[in-house]
Structures are given as structure tokens and as C-alpha cells.
Amino acid sequence: MSLSVLAIESSCDETAAAVVTAEGEVLSNVVASQIATHAPYGGVVPELASRAHLQAIVPVVRQAIGEFEAKVPGGRLDALAVTNGPGLVGALLVGVQTAKALAMAWKLPVVGVNHLDGHLLAAHLRLKGASEQPPFPFVALLVSGGHTALYRVDGPLDRTLIGQTRDDAAGEAFDKAAKLLALGYPGGPVIDRLAAKGDGRAHDFPMPMLHRKDLDFSFSGLKTAVARHVAKHGVPEWEGALDMAAPPPALADLAASFQRAIVEVLAKKAIRACVTQEVPHLVLGGGVAANRGLRARVSELAEKAGVKVYLPPLAACTDNAAMIAYAGAQRFLAEGAQPFDVFSRDPGRIRGRFRQDGTLIPRR
Ligand code: KG4
Ligand code: ZN
């Protein structure tokens, strides 16, 4: 019988628990979203997130265990895993304390998992609609609310940062643009749906860093361009609830043009990374990897470049505990359980400039 790991994820605004085997088979997968709690504020409020995690954590873990027992009668857990960073410290502590308490009560080992390793390995989960598991090494484009980076991944625990954003994350840019257009939080999914109805060439928004040879990104200028456009022309208006099937054309065009600018840079640089690394396998991960425009454009460019793309199903792109369980199982198999604390920023997230070949020039 394969190793089964129960994982908890509480780094941001999703409380999640899942049981997954070391081979990536998902035996249960529960996600409780706090979107409704944070929506009125246009972003995640850390204090509210911690409280909401505290309310949700026990029911969510119970449900994940219940679904596991229903699927595998008499099944046993071999280890626990929990996201211990990066993320909001107060939110992380809720998951970590719960995992450590359960480990003590059940006399099971508990492993701390880096949230980013979870996203980078999400394509390995054997979920409905998933492609085959990507072979190592692969290049990964990790695009979420907090991170936008390119990695070379040589093994489950072996990743090298080869490019990253110098300012805003891609998801942050989606969320800020949506806020400017009065579309609510989170912005990515709404802009994604609107963009499908609009003309991406209607507005000439900047595509920052597109023609630079390095693998860096920058999205704050794009956000400023949207802010300037709104200051000059106002926000397109609509009456009543926004009809997603037939949105105001001016609004759809703005969303489509904004999305095209982001997608073009992300897709081109991801393919460039595969070429410079001479690695013909590309994995997408993080909430923004759910974006339909990005998935389509990456697939199109990859085919031309002879690169194979691995797209996790949408539910594996956004935050979940299944990816943490899988990453935790790999870590446990490689090095067993070790003591751990929480951390807010990724220790491997070195800030710096990149050479043309993708290597880093560290900043002093
Ligand atoms: O990975 P994730 O769930 O949480 C973080 O670790 O940040 O990513 C959340 C981000 C949000 O900024 C959200 O707007 C964005 O992912 N997002 C999307 C889409 N779905 C979620 N962005 C663009 N298109 C989408 N379909
Ligand atoms: Zn995430």
C-alpha cells in the first residue's frame, strides 16, 4: 500500500485539507474559500483570514478525513503535511498548529511544505482532466496572487529560480485592474470571462519587458496604464448586475486588452525559458494558470517551439491542499520529518537581476 499523506493548507484565503498518495492519487480534497469575507475590502485582510481559518479548519479537516475513509475503507494515514510558508503568518499558524496537534495525538510524523513547491508539483496530481505527469527536468511558470516566477525544476525538491517579477505579481495585476474597473475581488476570474467577449487589440497597453532577453517580469506599469485610461475615459458603465454573457463592449475590450498584454509577456518568456534551458517541458501553476487566455496562448506558442505543455486542471491551479500533500509526501520520502517553523517570505526567492542566459546576478 502506498504512502498516504493528509495535508493542510492555510497560507492565504483558502482553508484546505486533502489526502493524497506519494504517486499523486487524490483520495480526498476539500477547499473552503474565504472570498466572500474579503470581497468587500477588495483584497485579503490578514486578521480576518486568520479568524476565518480558525473557524473552518476543524470542519474542513474532518470532511477530508471522512471522504478518505469513505473512499478507502480501513485506510490509514502515514504522515501529515502542512504549508509553513510563504504566506500570512497568522493564517499559516492556524494550519501548522492544527497539523502539529493532530500529529501528536495520532503519533504520526508531520512535514512542513513550501507553498511554492506545492504549486510547482500540482501538475503531478492524478486528477480528472489532468495531463500525464511531467518528467524532470521541466520549466515551470508559477503565476499567482503573490508570485510570478520561472523555475527550472530538476526534481521534486530541486528548483532553481531563473526569472521573476520585479514588482507586482501577475495575479496582483489582475486584481488591481479589476478594482480600477469596479469588478470586485478576486479580479482574475472576472477579467478572464470578460476578455473572452472582447477585442484584445482595442487598446494598446504596454507589454513590459517583452523584448528584453532576460526572464524578468514587471507589471506595475501596466496597472498604471489602466489607471490612466480610467482617469481619462472613466469606467464603462452598466446597469444592474453585470451580464457576463453580454457585457458592455467597452468593458470587455478593456479586459481583453489588459489580459492580452499580461498573457503575451508571460507566454513568450515561459517559452524563452524552455529554449534557453534546453528543456522542452513546460508546467503552469498558480491561480493565474487558470486563465483561459494564458492557457491557450502558451499552448499555441509551445507547439510552434516544440515544447510540451502540462496544464493542471483549474482546481489544482488555485490554492489547494492536494498539491501540498503530494509535495509533502515527496519530502517525507526523501528526508523524513524534521522540526519546522512558519515563514512569511520564500527563502529561495532571491531578489536580483538576471543575465541573458537566465542566471542570476545577486544584488548586494
Ligand atoms: O494561487 P492562488 O489561488 O493564491 C495565491 O497563492 O496567490 O492565486 C490567486 C490569484 C488571484 O490574484 C486571482 O485573481 C488569480 O489568481 N486568478 C486568475 C484566474 N483565477 C484566479 N487570474 C486570471 N485568470 C483566472 N482565471
Ligand atoms: Zn498559491
Side-chain angles (χ1 to χ4, degrees):
M1 179 66 189
S2 162
L3 186 87
S4 296
V5 175
L6 166 70
I8 296 177
E9 151 67 40
S10 69
S11 64
C12 190
D13 59 346
E14 262 97 23
T15 318
V19 180
V20 174
T21 69
E23 284 74 43
E25 202 189 335
V26 181
L27 303 173
S28 74
N29 191 10
V30 181
V31 181
S33 168
Q34 303 178 4
I35 285 178
T37 307
H38 303 290
Y41 306 94
V44 178
V45 184
E47 179 70 20
L48 296 181
S50 307
R51 289 170 192 227
H53 283 305
L54 205 48
Q55 286 174 335
I57 196 96
V58 171
V60 164
V61 170
R62 269 221 175 103
Q63 193 181 332
I65 293 169
E67 286 177 13
F68 164 63
E69 285 172 343
K71 193 155 185 177
V72 188
R76 297 182 69 84
L77 293 171
D78 299 291
L80 289 152
V82 62
T83 306
N84 66 324
L88 306 167
V89 167
L92 288 163
L93 282 171
V94 176
V96 167
Q97 283 306 90
T98 306
K100 286 189 176 179
L102 289 174
M104 196 187 276
W106 295 340
K107 299 190 172 57
L108 285 178
V110 56
V111 187
V113 175
N114 186 307
H115 183 80
L116 304 181
D117 288 334
H119 277 305
L120 293 176
L121 295 175
H124 285 251
L125 294 172
R126 295 182 200 270
L127 285 165
K128 214 171 139 214
S131 47
E132 61 188 283
Q133 292 185 327
F136 297 103
F138 58 80
V139 166
L141 172 67
L142 200 162
V143 273
S144 71
H147 299 270
T148 295
L150 280 160
Y151 292 91
R152 180 194 164 100
V153 185
D154 284 283
L157 307 174
D158 184 2
R159 62 177 157 101
T160 311
L161 182 69
I162 53 173
Q164 69 180 335
T165 182
R166 295 183 176 182
D167 40 58
D168 293 352
E172 203 177 345
F174 270 100
D175 294 338
K176 285 177 177 171
K179 201 170 179 179
L180 286 165
L181 297 172
L183 294 171
Y185 175 85
V190 193
I191 292 191
D192 190 356
R193 290 172 68 196
L194 286 172
K197 302 279 175 189
D199 173 9
R201 295 177 192 271
H203 303 281
D204 226 357
F205 287 130
M207 296 183 185
M209 324 278 281
L210 182 63
H211 298 296
R212 293 175 56 107
K213 288 266 181 289
D214 61 30
L215 299 171
D216 271 5
F217 303 97
S218 165
F219 294 112
S220 68
L222 178 57
K223 172 194 66 192
T224 309
V226 176
R228 263 204 222 110
H229 182 94
V230 168
K232 199 163 167 193
H233 304 282
V235 177
E237 287 183 11
W238 64 90
E239 281 179 31
L242 185 56
D243 178 3
M244 283 298 190
L251 185 67
D253 285 352
L254 266 179
S257 304
F258 167 79
Q259 179 169 298
R260 189 173 92 91
I262 292 202
V263 161
E264 205 54 27
V265 182
L266 291 174
K268 287 240 168 87
K269 294 234 165 170
I271 300 298
R272 189 177 297 159
C274 291
V275 172
T276 53
Q277 293 290 323
E278 297 179 14
V279 169
H281 301 280
L282 175 65
V283 168
L284 259 53
V288 181
N291 186 273
R292 287 171 296 170
L294 179 64
R295 294 166 84 93
R297 187 67 178 139
V298 164
S299 302
E300 189 184 340
L301 292 180
E303 203 181 315
K304 279 189 204 146
V307 169
K308 191 165 160 60
V309 187
Y310 303 81
L311 298 169
L314 300 194
C317 290
T318 47
D319 284 352
N320 64 86
M323 66 185 192
I324 303 301
Y326 181 78
Q330 309 314 312
R331 184 163 285 271
F332 182 67
L333 287 175
E335 52 194 44
Q338 320 228 337
F340 62 89
D341 199 352
V342 299
F343 58 91
S344 59
R345 291 179 70 91
D346 184 22
R349 191 182 175 202
I350 318 152
R351 283 208 161 263
R353 291 165 57 82
F354 293 88
R355 297 187 185 89
Q356 289 198 4
D357 64 1
T359 55
L360 183 80
I361 306 167
R363 234 177 240 161
R364 288 172 205 288

